[in-house]
Amino acid sequence: LIPLGEVASRVDEVPTDRPIYVICRSGRRSMTGARALAAAGRQAISVSGGTLGWISAGLPVSARLHGAGSGSR
């Protein structure tokens, strides 16, 4: 998880060997982030509609962060 304001300074943490899906609440910030990553040579895709659109489409959600173990908060 990289906040939008840190994308430029942390771009080296983003993999180059696969597409990266960027998501935010409504899709606006993820579009900005995806553009910044694309400018840095990453294959970045903004999730259309963000998390709200994802949920509205009935797609699955999880409260657990990717890579977070059980009880790690």
Side-chain angles (χ1 to χ4, degrees):
L1 179 66
I2 301 176
L4 179 60
E6 298 177 19
V7 170
S9 64
R10 296 177 59 188
V11 72
D12 289 339
E13 297 176 37
V14 179
T16 58
D17 62 339
R18 61 185 177 270
I20 301 301
Y21 292 87
V22 184
I23 192 166
C24 68
R25 181 178 174 272
S26 67
R28 288 183 183 195
R29 287 170 292 152
S30 61
M31 181 61 72
T32 301
R35 287 180 180 149
L37 290 171
R42 304 310 192 268
Q43 185 181 353
I45 301 156
S46 177
V47 176
S48 180
T51 302
L52 294 176
W54 184 274
I55 292 169
S56 292
L59 297 167
V61 295
S62 172
R64 194 176 90 165
L65 293 174
H66 175 71
S70 179
S72 64
R73 279 200 194 191

